[in-house]
Amino acid sequence: MISRYKPSPSATMSLAFCGNENNSSAYNVDGGVLNNGCFLDALNVVPHVFLLFITFPILFIGWGSQSSKVHIHHSTWLHFPGHNLRWLLTFVLLFVLVCEIAEGIVSDGLSQSHHLHLYMPSALAFMAGITSIIYYHNIETSNFPKLLIALLIYWVLAFVMKTIKFAKYTEHGIGLRQLRYCITGLLMLLYGLLLSVEINVIRGRRYMCFANPTEVKPPEDLQDLGVRFLQPFVNLLSKATYWWMNTFITSAHRRPIDLKVIGKLPIAMRALTNYIKLRKAFEDQKKPQGTASQGPKWIWQALRKAFGRPLILSITFRFLADLLGFAGPLCISGIVHHISKDNRTIQPPRKLLGIYFISSKEFLENAYVLAVLLFFALLLQRTFLQASYYVAIETGINLRGAFQTKIYNKIMRLCTSNMSMGELTVAQICNLVAVDTNQLMWFFFLCPNLWAMPFQIMVGVFLLYYLLGISALIGATVIAVLAPVQYFVATKLSQTQKSTLEYSSERLKKTNELLRGIKLLKLYAWERIFCDSVEETREKELTSLKAFALYTSISIFMNAAIPIAAVLTTFVVHVHISEDADLSPAVAFASLSLFHILVTPLFLLSTVVRSTVKALVSVQKLSEFFSSDEIGDEQEPRATVMSASSNHNQNKYQALSKFFSQPLKVVNRKRPPRDDWNNFGSPGQCDGDGPSQDTDQNTCIKIISGYFTWTDGPPTLSSIDIKIPFGKLTMIVGQVGCGKSSLLLAALGEMQRVSGQITWNSFPDLESEEAESPTDRDAAGDGEIGKRGPVAYASQKPWLLNTSVLENITFEMPLIKSRYNAVIEACSLQPDIDILPQGDQTEIGERGVILSGGQKQRISVARSLYQTTSVVFLDDPFSALDIHLSDHLMQEGILKMLRDEKRTVVLVTHKLQYLPHADWIIAMKDGTIQTEGTLKDIQNSEPELFEQWKSLMHRKDQDFEKETVAESVTDLERKNLRRAMYSRESVRTEEEDEAAALMFEGAEESLESEDDDNLSLVMRQRATIPWRSCGTYLSSAGPLLLGLLLLSQLLKHSLMVAIDYWLAHWTSRVIAAKIEATAHNCSMVQGGILLTPWV
């Protein structure tokens, strides 16, 4: 047996770069200086010293903060090519250098004196590597690429020196069995790759060796001062450690964080960007076959194309984290195993080039090396795991935003019949937006686990089988058998939590009802009855909470007990099955760690499977929703305006914006007298504004042979042939239920078109109707489907936003005060605004709860009047108005504002007295067009219908006269109220207004400062919990439960300390026994060797 190698005890251990051993070959240069190992190591010091001396003065001067050529808000501009690759290579380089330092220290321990050249160059290289990445980061964020020449020279020198060293090692027969040879080759490769990255920066930025350097601009996000979410723009180290979050953390520590502090998201993370990506993925599936396939597979393929890459990246990070997680048990097993062997090498090391070389096996048998590797493995494992979680969560959130946007756009294109006939309800759409998209998001959160858990289980079982044999499979079976029990407990826990929330909601509902009707309850002395009802619900809630706590305790107990049960079963079976079973501390610790690793994936498996099933169901529901009928499914709208008319359209819209930017003058003119119906047919009294020619160039909307329906039954509208002229007032009249509102919706494309054609022509020029481009006329003449522009539509049932009156009228349009006042006057809204608490800034509540029906109707009409669209649809705007308000709205709003602006107005009404003002009339009956034309044309073609209208008109005139006498007092009071309120404001002078404004600003600033101080004080009080509250909380549990709580915690920690003490005692006894046995065997072998010559 070969004895252990031991250095001479008389050797001195003084420091020297090449060692100071007697007759040392480290200083032998007979074969040349390059054949000396110490000289090669000294030669490798040169590049690192060069970089440290060159870069340190530049870094300390701080040139980057004052002389940046590109001024941006954030110093995180990463614009050099190969940025992430450089950081990754630098991290790998630093880890390999740490291994080289460790190898040098272990090798130096085999020598009789300290050889500094074995690890000092590596230490300098480690410092130079850190300096290089800091230097590069400052150069990149300050945009000084020319200073990268220092790094270029350093990479060249380092690569050349490592290549020389590697070549000399190969020349002297040093191979892959020596660890230093492998490390040197790996370092040569890393320096070469870093040199290639540096050359790529020169090629991309052209800052040297080229005449014209490349000019780059900061990204749009960094130019926006409102973007503070910098994760996509920071370096790799800041992403891994979340260093960029320090600003948010410090801000949140000072005061509550809000959206203003967070700022805007980068463009790549916004919902619109992700929606465009998802829409492109859907559209790409249409290209091969021309039509998109339906079903869940269609959505899964789009998800894979749009969000597959970040998901694959997350799964890769998770695989790496799981692999590094198994390094813990293996390193612990190696540490305990090799400590028990006294940590000595059995064979003497190999000495070449005057220095010692060790193998990889000998290097990994060192307990200190394993401890360092365990630290780095755990650090990288947590880093990769956190990166996997972050990428998965970010991808899930982006996916949810994209799908919610797609659902919203689908709702905008849904056929109205789907909503009105019950095929899709509002609750179903809300569930799609809130629940199903959330299920998909959670599936993406847990998707890395779906792929990583089987891999983790297989590797864990394989390692257990390697350590314990067949008994490991029995322990894994115990965990698998107990997994359904965990699933059952988790299911009960979820059900109990759901019932708790239901009871809580019921209790809050009863409490709110009690508080709302507290006066009535006290009046009838019903306090006891309602109190008993609330207490009964509270008892049910407490019972559910106790069950929830019980199941939670069982779940926590099983999570801790299942690994122990598996370990005990495995160890018992292992000892009884194997005759030569070696249950050493190394095997026991490694097995225990592996069993703890196996419990987590088995516990999460049920959750992941449940989330996957929910995601499959959600995708099925989304596919059914996306396949619903849309408006205009039969054809794709095509624009009738060709490229030649682009300048004409630009001038047209410039004129339109210029027109609406001018202040409007409201003239109080009297209502013109009604035309004499008896003499209306005379040619002399015709205005001549109605279109007299049946030409398409003057037609805005044209429907030919239209059949429209809401359902699959018979058509609601049939034989529709109408035309609506440009810039004219068209009235649609008829009996109730004849299809007037449906005709408007059919023109807008909200009904299912069975047959026929709808043509929308371009809007003519504002200044001259004859200036229409020939291309528009040709397109209209060909009968092609035109692209419908924006339309202002006021429905019969008013639709209002839950916001202020002003925002309801402007509707995201810029506020033009003169136009706004004119619209308010035309709709007679000023008296109503005056009586509101905050005027037009009053919040009208949900669906206009604080407004009357007439007020809602007029606000809805005012919104249509304020818009700058060329076409206005008004669906019976007088239905909720009295005759005076109707007449004022007709005269001031429709006849003056809209007609003066030459806007195309389509008015559905039952007020036949306004027919003389119409330029074009469409009469409907039973879902068909009875007649259309001017009033003169209808008088000639349909005299019976005209006489019917005439008799109804005279009857309404008599009603109007009676109402005028009755409501004259109301008008007078309304005028007096408005005059009194306006007179108060007119008394103020301009100086008083300025003084009041200054006082208001000062008071506002003081109030803001006081609010900030009060808010910070309140948050400090919330953050600090007084001891009295803690005492009250603990005393409410009662002395028995409080005593049991303290006793259980004391017993728990006592048992943990006792287990650790027993494991340490057991391990030390086993190690001492092995060392004693090894020493006894060595002494017997040495004694036998000494007695041999005497024999």
Side-chain angles (χ1 to χ4, degrees):
M1 184 176 179
I2 300 176
S3 61
R4 297 179 184 270
Y5 177 81
K6 293 183 179 180
S8 174
S10 61
T12 59
M13 300 296 290
S14 58
L15 294 175
F17 186 78
C18 295
N20 56 0
E21 301 170 353
N22 296 328
N23 300 322
S24 174
S25 59
Y27 297 96
N28 187 7
V29 292
D30 295 339
V33 292
L34 293 180
N35 294 322
N36 183 273
C38 182
F39 181 79
L40 287 176
D41 292 332
L43 195 63
N44 279 270
V45 175
V46 176
H48 316 311
V49 174
F50 163 77
L51 182 68
L52 293 175
F53 274 98
I54 289 294
T55 58
F56 263 54
I58 300 176
L59 291 176
F60 281 117
I61 289 173
W63 43 268
S65 59
Q66 297 180 358
S67 54
S68 176
K69 292 182 178 180
V70 180
H71 298 285
I72 57 178
H73 180 60
H74 304 291
S75 60
T76 55
W77 185 21
L78 310 177
H79 51 282
F80 289 166
H83 166 83
N84 291 329
L85 180 61
R86 181 193 294 267
W87 277 88
L88 287 174
L89 292 175
T90 304
F91 287 149
V92 176
L93 175 66
L94 295 177
F95 176 74
V96 175
L97 289 174
V98 170
C99 294
E100 189 178 23
I101 294 172
E103 190 273 341
I105 294 174
V106 174
S107 301
D108 188 44
L110 305 173
S111 305
Q112 297 180 357
S113 63
H114 288 301
H115 291 252
L116 297 180
H117 69 93
L118 294 177
Y119 50 86
M120 193 180 77
S122 305
L124 287 175
F126 185 82
M127 295 175 59
I130 295 177
T131 305
S132 68
I133 199 64
I134 296 175
Y135 181 74
Y136 166 78
H137 175 70
N138 282 274
I139 290 173
E140 186 176 33
T141 55
S142 302
N143 195 25
F144 270 96
K146 291 186 177 180
L147 292 176
L148 288 176
I149 298 176
L151 287 180
L152 178 65
I153 298 173
Y154 170 68
W155 301 132
V156 171
L157 292 177
F159 176 71
V160 171
M161 297 305 169
K162 285 298 177 184
T163 304
I164 295 174
K165 185 177 181 179
F166 184 76
K168 288 300 177 182
Y169 281 176
T170 306
E171 182 181 344
H172 286 79
I174 303 173
L176 296 175
R177 293 187 176 181
Q178 281 70 40
L179 180 61
R180 192 174 304 160
Y181 179 83
C182 300
I183 291 177
T184 304
L186 190 57
L187 287 174
M188 180 188 68
L189 177 62
L190 290 173
Y191 283 127
L193 291 175
L194 287 168
L195 177 60
S196 302
V197 172
E198 206 66 62
I199 294 174
N200 184 47
V201 174
I202 297 175
R203 186 181 62 85
R205 292 299 305 275
R206 309 168 72 94
Y207 65 88
M208 60 179 297
C209 304
F210 293 95
N212 299 319
T214 304
E215 295 291 337
V216 292
K217 295 181 179 180
E220 183 179 351
D221 292 320
L222 292 182
Q223 297 179 13
D224 189 355
L225 302 181
V227 176
R228 300 186 182 92
F229 190 87
L230 304 178
Q231 195 271 343
F233 312 105
V234 298
N235 57 62
L236 205 60
L237 181 62
S238 183
K239 289 180 181 178
T241 59
Y242 298 95
W243 187 262
W244 60 274
M245 286 285 294
N246 287 341
T247 305
F248 294 108
I249 295 174
T250 53
S251 300
H253 179 70
R254 296 192 192 100
R255 57 175 300 160
I257 196 167
D258 54 3
L259 291 177
K260 292 182 180 179
V261 178
I262 296 175
K264 295 185 292 186
L265 282 174
I267 296 176
M269 300 180 67
R270 295 175 186 174
L272 179 59
T273 306
N274 292 286
Y275 165 69
I276 294 173
K277 187 190 304 182
L278 182 64
R279 186 183 63 183
K280 186 177 183 300
F282 278 110
E283 291 175 352
D284 290 342
Q285 299 184 53
K286 299 181 182 180
K287 293 180 180 178
Q289 64 270 20
T291 58
S293 58
Q294 303 296 326
K297 184 179 178 181
W298 176 51
I299 296 181
W300 287 116
Q301 290 177 352
L303 286 176
R304 176 185 57 81
K305 186 168 184 179
F307 303 101
R309 289 186 178 180
L311 188 61
I312 292 175
L313 181 62
S314 176
I315 294 173
T316 305
F317 285 153
R318 182 57 189 267
F319 273 116
L320 293 175
D322 291 340
L323 281 176
L324 291 171
F326 289 108
L330 297 178
C331 288
I332 291 174
S333 176
I335 290 171
V336 178
H337 179 72
H338 294 295
I339 284 178
S340 63
K341 290 187 177 182
D342 201 18
N343 196 26
R344 296 182 181 179
T345 57
I346 298 177
Q347 295 181 355
R350 187 178 181 184
K351 192 172 185 180
L352 297 170
L353 295 176
I355 53 178
Y356 291 103
F357 287 82
I358 62 173
S359 63
S360 301
K361 181 180 178 181
E362 294 168 346
F363 178 73
L364 294 177
E365 287 179 351
N366 190 286
Y368 297 102
V369 172
L370 290 176
V372 174
L373 290 178
L374 176 61
F375 169 76
F376 280 107
L378 293 178
L379 183 65
L380 288 175
Q381 190 253 351
R382 300 311 302 178
T383 302
F384 282 126
L385 188 62
Q386 191 65 31
S388 174
Y389 287 152
Y390 177 82
V391 175
I393 291 173
E394 180 184 350
T395 306
I397 294 174
N398 292 338
L399 176 143
R400 182 180 63 172
F403 262 101
Q404 287 176 345
T405 309
K406 184 172 178 61
I407 291 172
Y408 176 79
N409 288 336
K410 177 70 177 182
I411 295 172
M412 295 294 102
R413 300 192 307 272
L414 271 180
C415 184
T416 311
S417 61
N418 291 328
M419 301 292 296
S420 60
M421 303 307 298
E423 296 180 8
L424 285 174
T425 62
V426 177
Q428 290 175 342
I429 295 177
C430 290
N431 285 334
L432 288 175
V433 174
V435 178
D436 293 306
T437 57
N438 206 49
Q439 294 296 342
L440 274 179
M441 180 186 69
W442 276 102
F443 171 73
F444 267 64
F445 288 177
L446 300 174
C447 192
N449 295 318
L450 186 64
W451 304 99
M453 283 191 307
F455 169 78
Q456 196 174 7
I457 293 173
M458 288 188 295
V459 174
V461 172
F462 174 77
L463 292 177
L464 282 172
Y465 182 79
Y466 173 76
L467 291 173
L468 300 173
I470 194 66
S471 57
L473 301 179
I474 299 175
T477 305
V478 172
I479 297 178
V481 169
L482 292 177
V485 181
Q486 281 184 305
Y487 177 76
F488 173 76
V489 174
T491 304
K492 287 293 184 180
L493 191 64
S494 177
Q495 293 176 356
T496 308
Q497 186 178 15
K498 184 178 180 180
S499 63
T500 303
L501 293 175
E502 291 177 355
Y503 288 136
S504 300
S505 301
E506 184 180 355
R507 178 176 57 85
L508 291 175
K509 180 181 179 181
K510 290 183 178 180
T511 305
N512 289 333
E513 291 178 356
L514 189 148
L515 293 176
R516 288 178 181 177
I518 190 66
K519 293 182 179 180
L520 186 64
L521 295 181
K522 288 185 174 294
L523 180 64
Y524 288 97
W526 289 347
E527 301 96 330
R528 189 72 271 170
I529 299 175
F530 278 83
C531 183
D532 292 340
S533 177
V534 173
E535 289 179 353
E536 181 183 358
T537 308
R538 177 59 178 169
E539 288 296 329
K540 295 179 181 179
E541 183 183 2
L542 288 176
T543 304
S544 182
L545 283 172
K546 290 177 182 178
F548 179 78
L550 178 62
Y551 285 121
T552 303
S553 302
I554 294 174
S555 178
I556 295 173
F557 171 76
M558 292 192 67
N559 289 338
I562 286 177
I564 298 175
V567 168
L568 288 177
T569 306
T570 303
F571 287 167
V572 170
V573 174
H574 180 66
V575 171
H576 285 81
I577 289 180
S578 303
E579 297 179 356
D580 55 346
D582 180 23
L583 194 58
S584 61
V587 175
F589 284 138
S591 303
L592 191 62
S593 300
L594 288 172
F595 274 116
H596 276 285
I597 291 175
L598 279 180
V599 170
T600 303
L602 289 174
F603 178 71
L604 290 177
L605 185 60
S606 60
T607 304
V608 174
V609 171
R610 187 165 60 248
S611 176
T612 304
V613 172
K614 290 181 180 179
L616 291 173
V617 175
S618 297
V619 169
Q620 178 67 34
K621 293 168 64 177
L622 287 171
S623 65
E624 295 175 359
F625 172 73
F626 289 142
S627 60
S628 302
D629 295 332
E630 298 181 2
I631 56 174
D633 276 343
E634 292 81 2
Q635 71 280 332
E636 185 72 19
R638 292 173 292 174
T640 60
V641 181
M642 305 299 177
S643 59
S645 60
S646 59
N647 295 331
H648 166 73
N649 291 332
Q650 184 177 2
N651 296 331
K652 175 185 67 176
Y653 290 117
Q654 287 179 358
L656 184 65
S657 60
K658 181 179 179 181
F659 175 78
F660 286 128
S661 63
Q662 294 176 355
L664 298 176
K665 297 181 179 180
V666 181
V667 181
N668 294 324
R669 62 182 182 183
K670 296 182 179 180
R671 186 178 61 164
R674 297 184 184 275
D675 296 317
D676 188 2
W677 280 72
N678 297 322
N679 301 323
F680 187 82
S682 60
Q685 300 197 359
C686 181
D687 294 337
D689 293 336
S692 59
Q693 298 178 353
D694 260 351
T695 57
D696 288 340
Q697 63 182 0
N698 295 324
T699 302
C700 177
I701 306 169
K702 185 176 182 181
I703 302 178
I704 302 175
S705 301
Y707 287 82
F708 304 92
T709 181
W710 292 111
T711 60
D712 296 332
T716 306
L717 302 177
S718 58
S719 300
I720 303 298
D721 289 283
I722 63 169
K723 59 180 180 180
I724 297 174
F726 272 120
K728 305 298 180 180
L729 173 59
T730 301
M731 290 189 185
I732 302 176
V733 295
Q735 296 178 354
V736 176
C738 64
K740 301 184 296 298
S741 300
S742 298
L743 181 61
L744 291 184
L745 295 176
L748 292 173
E750 293 293 331
M751 292 186 68
Q752 295 183 13
R753 180 162 57 88
V754 179
S755 63
Q757 182 177 348
I758 305 175
T759 304
W760 286 75
N761 292 327
S762 301
F763 182 61
D765 199 353
L766 289 171
E767 297 179 0
S768 175
E769 294 181 0
E770 299 178 358
E772 187 178 7
S773 63
T775 55
D776 293 341
R777 295 175 184 175
D778 294 339
D782 294 339
E784 295 183 355
I785 304 298
K787 185 176 181 181
R788 176 174 60 83
V791 177
Y793 173 64
S795 61
Q796 189 173 4
K797 183 179 179 180
W799 179 82
L800 299 177
L801 293 170
N802 187 9
T803 181
S804 65
V805 175
L806 185 142
E807 292 177 351
N808 267 283
I809 295 176
T810 58
F811 203 63
E812 301 296 332
M813 292 288 291
L815 178 62
I816 304 174
K817 197 64 178 177
S818 57
R819 181 171 180 80
Y820 176 75
N821 293 332
V823 170
I824 294 295
E825 179 64 27
C827 297
S828 302
L829 280 172
Q830 191 60 50
D832 303 285
I833 292 175
D834 293 338
I835 62 177
L836 292 176
Q838 284 85 31
D840 58 3
Q841 299 296 328
T842 304
E843 298 285 338
I844 64 174
E846 186 176 2
R847 299 178 182 177
V849 67
I850 68 171
L851 301 177
S852 65
Q855 291 170 337
K856 296 178 186 178
Q857 187 74 55
R858 282 177 287 151
I859 290 176
S860 179
V861 174
R863 181 195 302 131
S864 301
L865 296 181
Y866 188 82
Q867 302 303 307
T868 59
T869 58
S870 59
V871 181
V872 180
F873 282 4
L874 301 176
D875 189 359
D876 201 0
F878 313 122
S879 58
L881 306 182
D882 56 29
I883 194 168
H884 299 281
L885 292 177
S886 301
D887 193 65
H888 185 272
L889 176 60
M890 183 68 189
Q891 297 297 328
E892 299 296 330
I894 298 176
L895 296 181
K896 184 162 65 173
M897 284 193 68
L898 297 180
R899 178 174 283 181
D900 289 349
E901 294 171 1
K902 297 184 179 180
R903 298 166 74 178
T904 303
V905 183
V906 181
L907 174 64
V908 174
T909 183
H910 294 281
K911 304 286 186 179
L912 300 180
Q913 63 268 31
Y914 301 139
L915 286 178
H917 302 291
D919 301 313
W920 192 256
I921 300 172
I922 299 175
M924 296 191 65
K925 183 178 181 180
D926 298 332
T928 60
I929 302 299
Q930 184 178 6
T931 183
E932 68 171 332
T934 62
L935 193 59
K936 175 184 175 181
D937 297 335
I938 294 174
Q939 182 184 8
N940 297 330
S941 60
E942 299 285 343
E944 295 180 0
L945 179 64
F946 181 81
E947 290 298 328
Q948 183 182 0
W949 288 353
K950 181 179 177 181
S951 62
L952 292 174
M953 183 62 195
H954 286 303
R955 188 182 307 169
K956 291 183 178 181
D957 282 341
Q958 294 175 2
D959 295 339
F960 174 71
E961 293 177 359
K962 294 178 181 179
E963 292 183 5
T964 304
V965 176
E967 295 186 1
S968 59
V969 180
T970 305
D971 293 338
L972 181 61
E973 292 178 354
R974 183 178 298 174
K975 292 180 180 179
N976 293 334
L977 177 62
R978 292 172 58 187
R979 189 180 300 111
M981 297 189 67
Y982 292 153
S983 61
R984 297 176 186 175
E985 297 181 358
S986 61
V987 174
R988 287 187 178 180
T989 60
E990 295 182 356
E991 296 179 356
E992 291 177 349
D993 289 341
E994 294 178 358
L998 292 175
M999 291 176 62
F1000 178 75
E1001 292 178 358
E1004 189 176 9
E1005 292 178 358
S1006 63
L1007 286 175
E1008 288 179 356
S1009 61
E1010 290 179 1
D1011 290 341
D1012 293 341
D1013 296 339
N1014 294 332
L1015 182 60
S1016 60
L1017 180 61
V1018 169
M1019 293 308 298
R1020 287 196 207 100
Q1021 292 177 355
R1022 288 184 181 179
T1024 58
I1025 301 176
W1027 290 104
R1028 184 183 303 172
S1029 301
C1030 297
T1032 305
Y1033 177 77
L1034 292 175
S1035 62
S1036 61
L1040 180 60
L1041 290 179
L1042 187 60
L1044 288 176
L1045 177 64
L1046 295 176
L1047 182 62
S1048 61
Q1049 290 293 327
L1050 181 62
L1051 185 61
K1052 170 190 172 183
H1053 292 288
S1054 301
L1055 289 175
M1056 291 176 62
V1057 173
I1059 290 172
D1060 293 338
Y1061 174 77
W1062 182 81
L1063 289 175
H1065 178 68
W1066 175 47
T1067 306
S1068 60
R1069 285 188 60 187
V1070 173
I1071 293 175
K1074 287 191 175 184
I1075 292 175
E1076 183 179 354
T1078 304
H1080 179 67
N1081 293 333
C1082 291
S1083 63
M1084 290 181 63
V1085 172
Q1086 290 178 0
I1089 293 175
L1090 292 174
L1091 290 174
T1092 300
W1094 294 98
V1095 176

